């Protein structure tokens, strides 16, 4: 356990990007004060990166682009409170979770008529459309992560896996609130003063998604090395912030 704590400090010393620092630079003119204000400010900044569609002709052009073969399986349309997407879109668990989250939002308060593309990758980019050189997107795009920083294009939306206890609840907003309350109650039963000063790791870092080439390799006894697991590295960077920026916690 001491090795892990030491590693967290080492990672903290070598990383150059802290999300809180970049956010402060981007919003230095009028820094938001509350957490909700900070989220809203960054969403509005991200949305402003995309060109407005002020005319019916511009809107039609966007819809045509989203319906083209390159983008149709990443496209989402909300029209009169109904969600439209291709069968291939909903076959993907993360994309289906995104659609479920939208349906939950519609039930809770509604959404306007809107169309966009969704990128569900864990680093917030894609190898093909709608991504352009890893940072710019040709159409309004939502992402669940920005691993390289806020400079990545796209509007951040929640990862639908959060709070899910199974694929049937993936993206259901009410399960998030229930999970949050469950965690808060568990934490209240174990105050910091009564906890051991130990660090636990989440387990193996060699798991890869089923159906991928890496997963096939792992099944043959060739798992991907931990050093190549970007998800594990991102988690270590996040944990390192507790050592380098305790003021954020």
């Amino acid at each position: 356990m001491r090795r892990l704590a030491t590693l967290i400090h080492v990672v903290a010393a070598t990383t150059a990007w802290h999300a809180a620092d970049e956010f402060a630079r981007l919003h230095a003119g009028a820094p938001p004060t509350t957490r909700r204000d900070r989220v809203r400010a960054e969403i509005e900044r991200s949305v402003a990166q995309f060109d407005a569609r002020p005319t019916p002709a511009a809107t039609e052009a966007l819809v045509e682009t989203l319906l083209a073969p390159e983008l149709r399986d990443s496209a989402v349309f909300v029209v009169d409170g109904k969600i439209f997407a291709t069968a291939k879109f909903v076959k993907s668990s993360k994309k289906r979770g995104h659609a479920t989250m939208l349906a939950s939002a519609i039930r809770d308060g509604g959404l306007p008529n809107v169309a966009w593309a969704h990128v569900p990758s864990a680093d917030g980019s894609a190898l093909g459309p709608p991504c352009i050189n890893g940072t710019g997107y040709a159409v309004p795009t939502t992402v669940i992560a920005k691993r390289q920083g806020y400079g990545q294009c796209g509007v951040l939306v929640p990862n639908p896996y959060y709070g899910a206890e199974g694929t049937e609840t993936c993206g259901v907003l009410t399960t998030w609130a229930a999970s949050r309350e469950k965690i808060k109650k568990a934490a209240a039963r174990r105050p910091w003063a009564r906890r051991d000063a130990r660090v636990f790791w989440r387990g193996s870092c060699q798991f890869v998604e089923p159906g991928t080439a890496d997963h096939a390799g792992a099944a043959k006894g060739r798992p991907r090395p931990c050093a190549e697991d970007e998800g594990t590295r991102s988690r270590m960077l996040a944990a390192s912030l507790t050592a380098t920026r305790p003021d954020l916690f």
Side-chain angles (χ1 to χ4, degrees):
M1 295 303 172
R2 285 196 187 121
R3 285 186 188 173
L4 182 57
T6 301
L7 180 57
I8 289 175
H9 280 275
V10 170
V11 172
T14 57
T15 182
W17 176 61
H18 287 157
D21 295 334
E22 184 179 6
F23 183 93
R25 291 194 299 271
L26 290 172
H27 300 276
T33 54
T34 69
R35 182 177 300 177
R36 186 179 294 273
D37 288 340
R38 289 194 292 270
V39 171
R40 180 179 294 277
E42 181 54 28
I43 288 176
E44 291 177 350
R45 189 194 69 82
S46 298
V47 170
Q49 291 181 312
F50 299 104
D51 294 334
R53 313 283 173 162
T55 66
T59 301
E60 288 178 9
L62 170 62
V63 171
E64 289 179 0
T65 300
L66 288 170
L67 289 176
E70 286 185 316
L71 287 179
R72 66 176 56 159
D73 292 325
S74 296
V76 185
F77 301 88
V78 177
V79 182
D80 296 335
K82 296 181 179 180
I83 303 166
F84 297 88
T86 65
K88 190 172 182 179
F89 183 100
V90 296
K91 187 176 180 180
S92 163
S93 61
K94 281 193 175 181
K95 288 182 178 179
R96 183 172 63 252
H98 182 63
T100 301
M101 183 177 66
L102 296 174
S104 183
I106 290 173
R107 287 193 299 271
D108 288 346
L111 289 173
N113 292 345
V114 62
W116 69 97
H118 181 60
V119 176
S121 63
D123 61 359
S125 63
L127 297 178
C131 183
I132 302 173
N133 298 326
T135 56
Y137 295 91
V139 298
T141 305
T142 53
V143 296
I144 65 169
K146 292 188 177 183
R147 184 176 289 168
Q148 304 304 321
Y150 290 117
Q152 284 185 239
C153 196
V155 180
L156 274 171
V157 295
N159 186 333
Y161 285 172
Y162 180 81
E165 297 182 358
T167 55
E168 68 280 359
T169 61
C170 181
V172 179
L173 295 177
T174 52
T175 65
W176 293 21
S179 294
R180 183 177 65 247
E181 290 305 312
K182 184 177 179 180
I183 292 171
K184 288 169 63 175
K185 289 179 180 178
R189 291 195 298 267
R190 297 172 178 82
W192 282 109
R194 288 165 38 195
R195 298 185 190 185
D196 293 337
R198 290 183 289 176
V199 179
F200 291 88
W201 182 235
R202 69 189 186 103
S204 172
C205 63
Q206 296 185 342
F207 175 79
V208 291
E209 286 289 336
T212 64
D214 281 339
H215 188 270
K220 297 176 183 178
R222 298 192 303 275
R224 182 171 55 183
C226 293
E228 297 177 9
D229 189 331
E230 286 295 327
T232 294
R233 180 175 180 275
S234 295
R235 289 177 173 86
M236 291 297 293
L237 290 174
S240 74
L241 287 176
T242 62
T244 60
R245 292 294 301 273
D247 57 298
L248 300 175
F249 297 90

